Amino acid sequence: MSTSQKLFHEAQKYIPGGVNSPVRAWRAVGGDPLFINRGKGCRVTDADGREYIDYVSSWGPLIAGHAHPQVVGALERVVKNGTSFGAPTAKEIELAKTLTQTIPSIEKVRLTSSGTEATMTALRLARGYTGRAKIIKFSGCYHGHTDALLVRAGSGALTFSTPDSQGVPEAFSSMTLVAEYNSLSSVRAYLEADPEGVAAVILEPVPGNMGLVPPEQGFLEGLRELTREFGVVLIFDEVMTGCRLARGGAQEIYHIDPDLTCLGKVVGGGLPLAAVGGKAAIMDVLAPLGGVYQAGTLSGNPLAVTAGIETLKLAHAAGAYERLNMLGDMLAEGLRTAIRETDIKACVNQIGSMFTIFFGVDPVRDYESATQSDTETFARYFRGMSEQGIYLPPSQFESAFISLAHGEDEIQETLRAARSVLQNLGS
Ligand code: HOZ
């Protein structure tokens, strides 16, 4: 028995399923999860001393790679002065200012500790601001585990076939309308049916939680027009894409000006930090200025804020996003070539440093096509890649992430492994 297996066995005695977040249990791909001892750059080392090229990147935050000296050094200096005060600190202003300067639609920002808190706050703000109750979300988009948003949700909920979670009373989710991603008509139909009833449309502009799915031309622009027409708050959940696909996230690439944006992952640099930001007129409805309540004991703590500030400095260095895009293109093109060399049906969706390989279906453009994918073949691919030293997200319905610590050598090493695994799958 490996050390990881022994640890997993022990963990299950005290932690439900042995994990503190369900996808980590590897149930969708079979086998026992690796316990990770340490990470450096683009590699992680498991409890048995095996090294892997890491494409989980802690599910997105580690755009600078593991244990970057600049981030670690800053954290070491800050931790000596205390970890949390429950009072304002100057560093919070620095991060908030950076975010408003980086993402033009964000005029004011409130820091939270998790993406779930950010989306929960965004919805409450939209409802408080408009005085309306309903919200529209999209099948396969995941916005954390808030009750109202665990409806047709992606990520772990989809991985474990619980897109509508138990424990959410119908009364809580009855105000959630579910539209189809990349379908403007499905949104228009809801808005026309109740023109004054919908407070917000929330979406991942580039969903990463049903696997990566790109927006079709005109979809995001059309949503912006529709929401303006009906006085609805447009919320971009850029927890995955913010400061990752570009400095200003997906909204910069697609030239959209949402009313509210949720951030997380990269902006916390690997520590628990997220944010909700947007137009001052809406943000100022938050307590203590307005009547929408939100709070958090560890919100904006100096450690998390420091990791965020230093990580954003690294991500914003000249040429960083160009490099991430180049590596992403190289990996995606290489995977497509490797697929073509076999008789396997699969497609690779990729934007910049985010990508997913879907088996058994081509193209994947929404929840319906994503859920038609062959998860059994994905599981075999995942296990094959793991044996070759490549650590991928353990679910078909997640995105993989490249960091600035990856290089062309690691991409080529990954492609060599993928070619060999794909050829075995095909035979
Ligand atoms: N649902 C998260 C990714 N979309 C997984 C987080 C984790 O397990 O750490």
Side-chain angles (χ1 to χ4, degrees):
M1 203 187 256
S2 70
T3 310
S4 279
Q5 284 172 322
K6 281 185 208 147
L7 289 169
F8 189 45
H9 186 77
E10 181 76 356
Q12 288 174 79
K13 292 184 199 161
Y14 312 107
I15 303 172
V19 290
N20 285 309
S21 191
V23 191
R24 299 179 195 178
W26 283 27
R27 291 211 166 189
V29 290
D32 294 330
L34 298 177
F35 275 62
I36 304 298
N37 269 6
R38 59 183 182 277
K40 184 72 196 150
C42 70
R43 291 176 195 260
V44 288
T45 305
D46 74 7
D48 292 282
R50 268 202 83 193
E51 201 177 82
Y52 299 80
I53 301 178
D54 179 24
Y55 290 98
V56 177
S57 298
S58 189
W59 302 93
L62 301 179
I63 200 164
H66 292 272
H68 192 287
Q70 185 174 323
V71 180
V72 173
L75 286 173
E76 280 170 353
R77 287 191 294 279
V78 167
V79 75
K80 290 183 188 135
N81 294 328
T83 56
S84 179
F85 309 111
T89 59
K91 275 197 171 284
E92 291 165 73
I93 310 172
E94 189 181 338
L95 181 57
K97 192 172 164 189
T98 301
L99 293 175
T100 58
Q101 287 170 346
T102 306
I103 304 176
S105 73
I106 297 185
E107 294 168 1
K108 286 193 174 177
V109 62
R110 170 70 55 93
L111 303 182
T112 65
S113 292
S114 73
T116 295
E117 286 175 71
T119 57
M120 187 179 75
T121 303
L123 289 189
R124 192 176 299 143
L125 256 178
R127 285 171 162 149
Y129 177 74
T130 59
R132 301 174 178 181
K134 292 181 186 167
I135 56 147
I136 297 177
K137 80 172 285 285
F138 293 85
S139 294
C141 281
Y142 176 74
H143 308 286
H145 57 283
T146 303
D147 282 337
L149 292 168
L150 275 180
V151 185
R152 280 236 161 176
S155 190
L158 181 54
T159 301
F160 297 111
S161 307
T162 50
D164 304 291
S165 173
Q166 288 175 22
V168 178
E170 212 207 309
F172 290 13
S173 57
S174 61
M175 292 291 129
T176 304
L177 310 173
V178 184
E180 295 312 314
Y181 187 75
N182 274 331
S183 164
L184 280 178
S185 58
S186 67
V187 180
R188 180 172 277 285
Y190 282 131
L191 295 176
E192 283 176 351
D194 190 0
E196 310 244 310
V198 178
V201 169
I202 184 167
L203 78 159
E204 300 176 76
V206 176
N209 283 295
M210 49 180 150
L212 187 82
V213 176
E216 287 174 0
Q217 209 176 357
F219 176 63
L220 297 175
E221 295 84 342
L223 265 188
R224 181 62 282 188
E225 280 167 25
L226 261 182
T227 44
R228 284 217 171 102
E229 185 186 333
F230 285 87
V232 172
V233 175
L234 180 63
I235 305 170
F236 268 18
D237 177 348
E238 295 226 45
V239 167
M240 272 190 179
T241 53
C243 304
R244 169 163 282 279
L245 293 186
R247 281 171 73 104
Q251 56 194 270
E252 177 183 314
I253 298 179
Y254 297 102
H255 309 290
I256 310 290
D257 182 36
D259 301 306
L260 292 177
T261 298
C262 301
L263 298 167
K265 301 201 189 267
V266 169
V267 302
L271 268 79
L273 186 143
V276 53
K279 305 300 173 202
I282 306 178
M283 292 303 295
D284 285 347
V285 179
L286 270 182
L289 294 181
V292 169
Y293 195 70
Q294 180 274 342
T297 300
L298 296 175
S299 296
N301 73 76
L303 275 183
V305 164
T306 298
I309 291 170
E310 296 306 321
T311 298
L312 288 178
K313 280 185 199 160
L314 293 162
H316 293 172
Y321 289 103
E322 289 78 2
R323 178 181 157 77
L324 287 167
N325 293 347
M326 181 274 289
L327 294 172
D329 292 348
M330 182 187 285
L331 186 53
E333 263 321 302
L335 286 171
R336 290 185 189 115
T337 305
I339 291 165
R340 278 196 297 273
E341 287 164 3
T342 69
D343 57 4
I344 293 170
K345 184 172 180 185
C347 67
V348 180
N349 282 358
Q350 171 254 344
I351 300 182
S353 57
M354 296 174 69
F355 67 96
T356 301
I357 174 166
F358 290 94
F359 289 93
V361 59
D362 180 16
V364 173
R365 59 175 294 274
D366 54 15
Y367 179 83
E368 197 181 328
S369 40
T371 51
Q372 277 165 13
S373 54
D374 176 356
T375 52
E376 201 36 60
T377 303
F378 175 83
R380 287 167 58 217
Y381 173 75
F382 170 87
R383 291 196 296 270
M385 291 296 274
S386 174
E387 277 161 25
Q388 301 264 349
I390 311 294
Y391 187 62
L392 294 171
S395 164
Q396 175 70 94
F397 306 114
E398 297 286 355
S399 173
F401 299 92
I402 298 169
S403 77
L404 288 164
H406 289 78
E408 293 186 35
D409 287 351
E410 284 84 12
I411 300 294
Q412 292 307 334
E413 195 178 329
T414 306
L415 288 173
R416 275 193 295 281
R419 263 194 300 277
S420 131
V421 173
L422 287 166
Q423 266 153 26
N424 281 339
L425 286 183
S427 58

